[in-house]
């Protein structure tokens, strides 16, 4: 028995992969530089040494190839966990993800199951060059047949990744790369009661609901702490899954507070906030005291890193969104 | 004397034996050193003129160079290396977000870059600082990108040099399409050296695995397009050696796509120049595409974010130090009497000046303003982009009103 341990999100993901590989010999890991190097973020560190090159594969530099062969391996009964090195490099694999991974189950009327996990380090805030800071969840959430989840803390990193690997549906698993080194207590023995696709109320409040996921959860919690000093009570919901969406948890909160601010790094235009706002408006219209507010990356490509702080929602912009919700 | 095959100590990367066709490693075992018998070399690591791998066919391009041209190559090599080292130092000191070093690959790039004509067009990856230099781009433009100030803010048409491309392989198809345009403009095979145009597209060894690269080969082959694919095989794609990307040497792959492929000593500036000149001339004259594999080595980490001690032996790096592209060229230039001590000293002084200028200009480089986010997203204004521009401006102004910002 291992007691609760303090670890980073990165270490928790590594531990989750290790545990899943120990539990099921069909679990494989493949991607660029995941072997000897342990991945550019070291998420797969030491796994090749311990599980061998057949189970932890340094692939050729070709994302469509990585994705297509992962699907083939799944057809043969394996459970591949694919690492895409950075968010902006998933696009060569887009065709395989959208045309095959998402659709083979329905095309075959359920005969084919593809338990494939696609891990993507996502988001900005690390001072990187172009293509290394993207939030592309809306493309995948828009593709029915895929499920899309985000971890935001070490405990979720540890358990959600194992739940994703155990799921028989294909899952896009986003990791907030700028939070990789944030630490938290992880109880490695007690499985969570929450299933993979449920949202979690991470801070209770009564004035405004903040809905967020991935790297923005910490931003929203920080904002809620500052708001509390100013006498405002914010409820923070970590959505954890953006496809499917846990609407009951969100609706219960909005019925209580009457106000909703959705926060994400991706541009607002046709982003997750739009889907959430539409749904909440449909289901909670008479509880809403104000229109649903979105605080998001601006409607533009991700900028050069020197001004990324202007692009990304931060504590002040979240509080500004709260002000706008309360102005009604 | 070439480094003997026995010096290639690292056999631990040997792949599962592939009997039916030649593996990259196997070709390594046959001299002049591990680039195999087909590797074109005009200057060996000791600075001796040699004719390896069929170099006879290309040597005339070097014979046509004047001592001044040759001194120019040397100056290029030294200045580009010095610039690169300075940029690495600036990154270490927090002035750049990232730097991607070309250390060890100078001869591949200067030889290639000096074989281009003004009307030609180059499609680089992200490590082609030597090509940028030859195309007349101010190195500060590269610094700006890696500092996080812009995303490659030069006009490719002005320099015949496309923006850097980070997504591996994309640029090869862009280059092929551009070359198809050159054909449609009738700018090949006219015999007019000021008009006939060729394209060169760059890639790494790892990149050859990408679909885009292979599709570019197909399109260029089918269309007989005037393009040279220039692959710098620096032996590594981050942590993955050639054996993880291919089972047959890169240059041999061209044959299957229907055009010639050559391997050249990428640390021999005379050979990279001569071979590129020949293949660019060939493309300009309407004889179609080719693939050049420059056999070289990435002497530094993949980028300043990388730690190569995790995956490669320092003995390998030591071995490649003996094949340094600049040292051998300097030896030869001095031996031939093309350059003297005063010249070498002057180049060093110029390198110091360049480094100082780059340092000052970097430290003084201003951050962009908020409009950098919204400018040039479209040619014509887009309502929602402009709405956000106004929203951000109002938001920032609200701090000024409070006297915060
Ligand atoms: C499509 C894509 N996938 C992954 C990456 C991340 N990445 C950047 S450089 C690199 C290795 C490239 O190796 P190689 O082609 O040999 O070029 P080199 O860096 O050695 O010059 C990788 C995997 C990327 N930039 N683009
Ligand atoms: Mg390489």
């Amino acid at each position: 028995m291992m007691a609760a341990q303090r670890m980073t999100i990165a270490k928790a993901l590594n531990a989750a992969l290790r545990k899943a590989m120990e539990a099921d010999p069909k679990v494989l890991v493949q991607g660029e530089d995941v072997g000897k190097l342990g991945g550019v973020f070291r998420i797969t560190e030491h796994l090749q040494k311990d599980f061998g090159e057949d189970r932890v594969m340094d692939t050729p530099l070709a994302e469509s190839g990585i994705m297509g062969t992962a699907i083939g391996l799944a057809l043969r009964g394996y459970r591949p966990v694919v690492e895409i090195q950075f968010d902006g490099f998933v696009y060569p694999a887009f065709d395989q993800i959208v045309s095959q991974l998402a659709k083979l189950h329905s095309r075959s009327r359920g005969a084919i199951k593809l338990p494939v996990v696609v891990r993507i380090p996502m988001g900005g805030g690390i001072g990187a060059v172009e293509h290394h800071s993207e939030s592309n969840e809306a493309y995948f959430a828009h593709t029915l047949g895929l499920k899309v989840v985000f971890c935001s803390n070490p405990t979720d990193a540890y358990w959600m990744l194992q739940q994703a690997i155990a799921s028989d549906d294909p899952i896009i698993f986003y990791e907030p790369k700028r939070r990789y080194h944030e630490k938290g207590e992880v109880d490695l023995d007690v499985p969570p009661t929450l299933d993979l696709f449920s949202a979690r109320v991470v801070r209770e409040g009564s004035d405004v609901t903040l809905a967020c996921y991935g790297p923005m959860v910490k931003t929203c919690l920080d904002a809620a702490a500052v708001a509390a000093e100013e006498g405002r009570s914010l409820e923070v919901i970590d959505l954890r899954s953006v496809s499917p969406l846990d609407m009951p948890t969100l609706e219960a909160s909005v019925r209580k507070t009457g106000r909703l601010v959705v926060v994400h790094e991706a541009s607002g235009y046709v982003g997750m906030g739009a889907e959430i706002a539409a749904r909440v408006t449909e289901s909670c219209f008479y509880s809403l005291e104000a229109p649903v507010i979105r605080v998001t990356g601006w409607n533009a490509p991700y900028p050069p890193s020197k001004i990324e702080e202007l692009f990304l929602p931060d504590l002040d912009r979240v509080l500004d969104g709260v002000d706008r919700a309360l102005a009604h | 004397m070439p480094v003997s095959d026995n010096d290639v100590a690292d056999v631990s990367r040997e792949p599962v034996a592939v009997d039916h066709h030649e593996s990259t490693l196997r070709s390594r075992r046959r001299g002049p050193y591990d680039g195999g018998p087909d590797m074109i070399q005009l200057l060996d690591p000791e600075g001796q003129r040699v004719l390896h791998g069929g170099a006879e066919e290309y040597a005339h391009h070097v014979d046509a160079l004047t001592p001044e041209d040759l001194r120019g190559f040397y100056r290029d090599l030294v200045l580009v290396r010095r610039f690169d080292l300075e940029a690495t130092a600036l990154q270490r000191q927090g002035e750049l977000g990232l730097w991607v070093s070309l250390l060890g690959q100078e001869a591949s790039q200067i030889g290639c870059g000096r074989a281009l004509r003004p009307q030609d067009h180059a499609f680089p990856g992200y490590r082609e600082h030597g090509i940028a230099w030859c195309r007349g781009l101010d190195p500060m433009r590269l610094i700006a990108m890696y500092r996080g100030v812009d995303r490659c803010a030069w006009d490719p048409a002005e320099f015949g040099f496309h923006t850097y491309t980070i997504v591996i392989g994309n640029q090869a198809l862009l280059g092929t399409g551009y070359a198809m345009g050159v054909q449609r403009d009738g700018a090949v095979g006219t015999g007019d050296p000021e008009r006939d145009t060729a394209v060169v597209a760059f890639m790494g060894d790892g990149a050859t695995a990408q679909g885009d690269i292979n599709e570019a080969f197909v399109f260029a082959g089918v269309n007989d397009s005037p393009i040279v694919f220039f692959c710098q095989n620096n032996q590594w794609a981050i942590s993955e050696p050639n054996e993880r990307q291919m089972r047959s040497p890169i240059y041999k792959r061209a044959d299957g796509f229907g055009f010639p492929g050559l391997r050249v000593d990428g640390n021999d500036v005379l050979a990279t120049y001569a071979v590129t000149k020949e293949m660019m001339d060939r493309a300009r004259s309407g004889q179609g595409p080719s693939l050049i594999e420059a056999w070289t080595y990435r002497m530094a980490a993949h980028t300043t974010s990388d730690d190569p001690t995790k995956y490669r032996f320092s003995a390998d790096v030591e071995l490649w130090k003996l094949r340094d592209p600049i040292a051998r060229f300097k030896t030869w230039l001095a031996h031939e009497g093309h350059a003297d001590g005063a010249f070498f000293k002057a180049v060093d002084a110029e390198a110091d000046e360049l480094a100082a200028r780059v340092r000052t200009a970097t430290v003084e480089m201003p951050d962009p303003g908020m409009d950098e986010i919204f400018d040039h997203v479209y040619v014509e204004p887009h309502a929602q982009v402009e709405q956000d521009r106004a929203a951000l401006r109002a938001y920032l102004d609200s701090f000024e009103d409070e006297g915060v910002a």
Side-chain angles (χ1 to χ4, degrees):
Chain A
M1 289 290 277
M2 293 179 277
Q5 283 184 25
R6 210 171 150 69
M7 60 171 76
T8 61
I9 290 182
K11 280 272 178 271
L13 291 165
N14 178 261
L17 286 170
R18 176 173 293 279
K19 198 157 172 225
M21 294 186 81
E22 279 164 0
D24 183 351
K26 295 289 185 191
V27 175
L28 309 175
V29 168
Q30 58 174 355
E32 293 156 9
D33 306 288
V34 298
K36 225 173 193 175
L37 183 63
V40 294
F41 293 107
R42 309 291 186 268
I43 306 301
T44 58
E45 192 155 39
H46 304 315
L47 295 180
Q48 188 180 66
K49 180 166 66 66
D50 296 340
F51 295 97
E53 292 184 19
D54 274 355
R55 294 189 66 194
V56 181
M57 291 173 267
D58 267 332
T59 64
L61 207 181
E63 288 77 8
S64 180
I66 296 170
M67 202 58 240
T69 56
I71 296 169
L73 282 157
L75 292 171
R76 185 70 189 179
Y78 287 89
R79 306 184 83 87
V81 182
V82 161
E83 174 171 304
I84 298 293
Q85 199 161 78
F86 280 89
D87 33 54
F89 305 140
V90 70
Y91 307 118
F94 199 67
D95 174 43
Q96 288 287 354
I97 294 176
V98 171
S99 306
Q100 304 305 328
L101 186 63
K103 299 198 176 84
L104 267 167
H105 184 66
S106 60
R107 185 181 303 137
S108 68
R109 291 208 181 133
I112 292 171
K113 291 185 186 125
L114 293 177
V116 178
V117 175
V118 184
R119 293 181 36 243
I120 308 181
M122 61 74 60
I126 62 160
V129 291
E130 206 182 350
H131 317 290
H132 292 71
S133 305
E134 300 193 2
S135 299
N136 40 29
E137 65 270 19
Y139 296 138
F140 298 112
H142 189 66
T143 301
L144 283 305
L146 303 173
K147 291 180 175 176
V148 184
V149 303
F150 285 76
C151 63
S152 69
N153 59 66
T155 294
D156 277 355
Y158 183 70
W159 289 111
M160 286 176 75
L161 184 52
Q162 290 180 67
Q163 289 171 319
I165 294 168
S167 167
D168 280 340
D169 281 314
I171 292 177
I172 309 293
F173 189 93
Y174 280 110
E175 301 166 2
K177 70 169 88 82
R178 75 159 124 156
R179 310 278 186 222
Y180 268 148
H181 300 296
E182 298 206 350
K183 287 188 174 158
E185 290 291 321
V186 182
D187 193 324
L188 302 172
D189 298 318
V190 185
T193 47
L194 214 56
D195 78 78
L196 180 57
F197 307 105
S198 295
R200 179 188 284 126
V201 180
V202 285
R203 179 182 174 119
E204 290 194 34
S206 52
D207 296 338
V208 178
T209 300
L210 293 179
C212 51
Y213 48 86
M216 287 292 105
V217 174
K218 179 174 188 303
T219 307
C220 288
L221 283 170
D222 290 348
V226 170
E229 287 167 22
E230 293 168 359
R232 282 174 180 169
S233 169
L234 307 187
E235 178 144 307
V236 181
I237 296 186
D238 179 356
L239 291 169
R240 305 195 328 140
S241 169
V242 297
S243 179
L245 279 169
D246 175 2
M247 290 309 294
T249 301
L250 199 52
E251 286 161 3
S253 178
V254 171
R255 290 204 176 96
K256 179 172 72 175
T257 63
R259 292 180 167 86
L260 174 63
V261 177
V262 188
V263 183
H264 53 66
E265 282 192 25
S267 297
Y269 203 71
V270 204
M272 288 313 306
E275 177 67 26
I276 292 164
R279 284 184 180 272
V280 167
T281 307
E282 283 164 9
S283 57
C284 303
F285 187 70
Y286 293 105
S287 307
L288 283 170
E289 307 281 348
V292 179
I293 302 289
R294 288 173 290 169
V295 177
T296 68
W298 302 108
N299 292 326
Y302 201 84
S305 62
K306 279 281 183 189
I307 48 169
E308 67 182 332
E309 300 306 331
L310 279 180
F311 182 87
L312 293 168
D314 61 5
L315 186 148
D316 286 324
R317 276 187 56 208
V318 172
L319 292 178
D320 179 67
V322 168
D323 285 346
R324 281 186 282 142
L326 284 165
H328 290 271
Chain B
M1 207 193 69
V3 177
S4 94
D5 297 335
N6 299 337
D7 291 345
V8 184
D10 177 20
V11 287
S12 65
R13 294 197 237 112
E14 185 150 13
V16 195
V18 183
D19 290 334
H20 50 281
H21 65 158
E22 187 179 23
S23 78
T24 298
L25 257 191
R26 239 189 267 188
S27 71
R28 277 187 178 193
R29 292 210 194 91
R30 293 181 270 144
Y33 49 88
D34 54 12
D38 294 343
M39 188 176 80
I40 299 161
Q41 190 185 59
L42 286 162
L43 198 59
D44 77 7
E46 275 70 44
Q48 313 266 6
R49 276 296 295 270
V50 292
L51 291 170
H52 274 304
E56 296 84 350
E57 267 184 63
Y58 308 93
H60 65 97
H61 292 298
V62 169
D63 298 338
L65 293 169
T66 65
E68 198 186 341
D69 294 333
L70 294 165
R71 285 193 295 274
F73 285 10
Y74 179 81
R75 177 179 170 271
D76 292 337
L77 291 166
V78 171
L79 293 192
V80 162
R81 175 172 291 184
R82 185 54 189 274
F83 161 68
D84 185 79
L85 291 172
E86 195 63 24
T88 298
L90 283 162
Q91 195 283 335
R92 291 280 172 253
Q93 291 152 15
E95 294 293 340
L96 303 183
L98 183 80
W99 186 249
V100 184
S101 173
L102 64 24
L103 196 66
Q105 298 176 217
E106 297 88 351
S108 296
Q109 297 190 16
I110 298 303
C112 172
R114 288 300 172 207
L116 308 182
R117 298 205 29 95
Q119 70 270 26
D120 294 336
H121 210 93
F123 285 82
Y126 42 77
R127 203 189 289 283
E128 273 64 73
H129 319 320
I131 304 297
W133 175 264
C134 293
R135 299 310 280 166
L137 201 82
D138 181 343
M140 291 313 294
R141 309 296 278 271
L142 307 176
I143 292 279
M145 172 184 155
Y146 286 110
R147 187 173 162 87
V149 167
D150 69 37
R151 284 163 294 194
C152 258
W154 59 82
D155 176 2
E158 190 185 335
F159 299 96
F161 188 68
H162 188 69
T163 67
Y164 269 8
T165 303
I166 292 173
V167 182
I168 302 289
N170 283 178
Q171 73 280 8
L173 277 165
L174 308 187
T176 302
Y178 189 98
M180 289 160 63
V182 168
Q183 287 174 292
R184 278 152 186 76
D185 290 345
V188 273
T190 68
D192 175 357
E194 305 304 319
R195 179 167 169 77
D196 288 343
T197 301
V199 175
V200 58
F202 294 87
M203 69 197 70
D205 43 290
T208 63
Q210 279 287 7
D212 272 16
I213 296 294
N214 290 277
E215 291 176 28
F217 290 173
V218 169
F219 274 72
V222 163
N223 291 295
D224 266 325
S225 300
I227 182 165
V228 173
F229 297 106
F230 194 94
C231 176
Q232 290 166 82
N233 183 350
N234 62 9
Q235 315 300 323
W236 292 94
I238 310 186
S239 73
E240 298 195 21
N242 279 189
E243 290 73 21
R244 297 306 321 150
Q245 311 288 349
M246 66 198 75
R247 272 291 181 270
S248 137
I250 292 167
Y251 71 104
K252 292 206 167 175
R253 204 183 293 187
D255 192 39
F257 290 97
F259 49 83
L262 303 161
R263 178 179 281 174
V264 60
D265 182 349
N267 287 12
D268 169 0
V269 72
L270 298 181
T272 55
Y273 170 77
V275 167
T276 309
K277 178 87 173 57
E278 179 75 20
M279 291 297 125
M280 289 295 278
D281 283 349
R282 186 177 179 279
R284 291 187 201 103
S285 68
Q287 296 175 77
S290 56
L291 168 64
I292 299 171
E293 176 188 1
W295 186 256
T296 182
Y297 196 80
R298 195 195 78 209
M299 295 300 286
H302 169 67
T303 68
T304 47
S305 301
D306 177 41
D307 174 10
T309 62
K310 293 236 178 226
Y311 55 79
R312 74 181 186 186
F313 301 108
S314 54
D316 260 17
V317 182
E318 292 306 314
L319 179 63
W320 278 90
K321 270 188 193 156
L322 303 174
R323 302 168 182 170
D324 184 71
I326 301 184
R328 78 173 75 170
F329 190 55
K330 185 177 182 181
T331 304
W332 179 74
L333 279 181
H335 182 263
E336 294 295 303
H338 291 322
D340 57 14
F343 169 76
F344 294 129
K345 229 171 123 188
V347 172
D348 284 345
E350 199 184 350
D352 287 344
E353 276 162 37
L354 173 67
R357 175 171 82 81
V358 166
R359 169 161 297 269
T360 310
T362 302
V363 175
E364 289 173 355
M365 190 178 282
D367 289 353
M370 64 151 267
D371 283 315
E372 177 76 16
I373 296 176
F374 305 101
D375 285 349
H376 309 299
V377 179
Y378 295 94
V379 177
E380 308 274 353
H382 179 293
Q384 280 70 45
V385 173
E386 293 313 317
Q387 189 184 350
D388 270 12
R389 186 201 296 267
L392 176 55
R393 180 158 297 132
Y395 173 73
L396 293 176
D397 285 350
S398 74
F399 289 93
E400 262 164 39
D401 294 346
E402 292 169 20
V404 179

